[in-house]
Amino acid sequence: MADIIQINDIKIPELDVYARLSEGQIAHYFEPRAGLFIAESPVVIHRALNAGYRPYSMLVEETLAEGAQGRELIALCPGIPVYTARREVLEQITGYALTRGMLCAMYRRELPTAEQVCRGASRIAVLENVMNPTNVGAIFRSAAALNMDGVLLTYGSSDPLYRRSVRVSMGTVFQIPWTFLDPAEEGDGVGNSGINGRLHGLGFRTAAMALREDSISLADPCLQQSERLAIVLGTEGDGLAADTIADCDYTVRIPMSHGVDSLNVAAASAVAFWQLGIRR
């Protein structure tokens, strides 16, 4: 069973992963081996456990730890320390109100290769330098819900296992395969010398989401009819690099109205995934 530890001193080093280490430090906690990430809320923690992620420790509000939901989750994590405290003490540790009363530090896993993510996939999302963790989390939630088979990210993108990304995704980052692309293969965008060539080699056509006069509509039948399609989304504000757009097979625009020129990348991803995803 878990080791329940009442917190009296918020400065104990065992709480550093929750209170005093940066996201990058947590991610490299066991360097050179994979580090940790933080899952927040019972729903997200449960999804991570169901996906096979191993818990390292938990930080739980006292009343939740004593309730049925808390006891059930704690029972799923035998042998780890479970730190408990009153809500106001937890707020001192984390620096903000825990709306769901539970954090769990979990071991990262070795990432799959791009080939493994793409194997058997018919629809892949590719994120080029999407830096906002909220957007990354929202894109993952849409990808999982709207028939994407996997997500590939350039190293300029935010880590999907950062706390905010995991929280915004509601744990769907654990439900859909993903990996970072090899920087040596990114090239000057998703070009034929890099990822675009690899995706072609795996049988994918590539569709760049961009605001260009020569773009085709999201509703163009050629997109839906593609057996294997990679939907490429760019960074907030600037969008995709010009070389990336030039090297993709299609440039795709979401039709707009009322003089609006574009959508936030997370909103655009949901529209694109809904239109282009293959219903199963």
Side-chain angles (χ1 to χ4, degrees):
M1 59 185 299
D3 182 15
I4 308 295
I5 303 168
Q6 177 94 24
I7 297 170
N8 298 311
D9 181 4
I10 66 172
K11 296 181 181 179
I12 61 173
E14 291 84 353
L15 300 182
D16 284 350
V17 295
Y18 300 106
R20 288 172 287 276
L21 297 183
S22 69
E23 295 273 18
Q25 289 171 319
I26 296 169
H28 296 91
Y29 197 70
F30 300 113
E31 202 164 35
R33 294 182 293 120
L36 300 170
F37 67 92
I38 305 296
E40 180 179 342
S41 87
V43 169
V44 171
I45 295 168
H46 206 283
R47 286 179 175 168
L49 292 171
N50 282 344
Y53 286 89
R54 294 190 300 118
Y56 173 76
S57 69
M58 297 181 79
L59 180 62
V60 188
E61 184 184 345
E62 279 182 351
T63 55
L64 179 58
E66 295 165 358
Q69 186 181 43
R71 292 199 307 271
E72 177 188 354
L73 267 178
I74 291 170
L76 294 174
C77 304
I80 69 166
V82 177
Y83 304 98
T84 66
R86 300 186 309 277
R87 176 178 288 268
E88 55 269 27
V89 175
L90 292 187
E91 290 180 13
Q92 291 179 49
I93 296 170
T94 62
Y96 61 92
L98 285 178
T99 57
R100 297 294 182 267
M102 181 178 285
L103 296 173
C104 185
M106 310 191 86
Y107 293 95
R108 287 173 177 259
R109 298 195 300 220
E110 293 298 326
L111 290 175
T113 64
E115 286 84 359
Q116 288 171 328
V117 171
C118 292
R119 189 175 298 142
S122 60
R123 293 293 184 269
I124 292 289
V126 181
L127 309 188
E128 181 187 77
N129 301 336
V130 178
M131 297 174 283
N132 187 307
T134 297
N135 284 335
V136 170
I139 291 169
F140 265 83
R141 190 171 183 180
S142 294
L146 301 174
N147 301 297
M148 293 297 106
D149 298 311
V151 180
L152 303 177
L153 305 95
T154 67
Y155 270 93
S157 297
S158 180
D159 188 337
L161 292 184
Y162 278 177
R163 186 183 301 186
R164 182 177 293 275
S165 294
V166 173
R167 183 169 69 245
V168 171
S169 80
M170 286 300 294
T172 54
V173 294
F174 312 125
Q175 296 176 276
I176 184 169
W178 63 272
T179 197
F180 284 102
L181 299 165
D182 185 341
E185 296 176 318
E186 289 179 21
D188 297 324
V190 188
N192 284 322
S193 61
I195 298 307
N196 198 54
R198 284 186 63 197
L199 288 170
H200 278 165
L202 293 167
F204 284 88
R205 306 284 280 175
T206 50
M209 302 298 300
L211 300 171
R212 293 274 291 265
E213 292 302 322
D214 59 349
S215 61
I216 63 174
S217 170
L218 187 65
D220 193 300
C222 71
L223 298 171
Q224 189 67 50
Q225 291 167 6
S226 293
E227 290 187 12
R228 309 188 82 192
L229 186 69
I231 301 163
V232 188
L233 299 143
T235 186
E236 300 87 348
D238 293 335
L240 289 169
D243 288 344
T244 299
I245 298 171
D247 287 328
C248 284
D249 298 300
Y250 310 106
T251 305
V252 183
R253 175 197 292 260
I254 298 173
M256 298 284 146
S257 64
H258 296 290
V260 177
D261 62 352
S262 66
L263 295 174
N264 164 274
V265 64
S269 75
V271 175
F273 298 162
W274 168 253
Q275 178 68 28
L276 301 177
I278 294 177
R279 314 291 192 265
R280 295 179 174 85

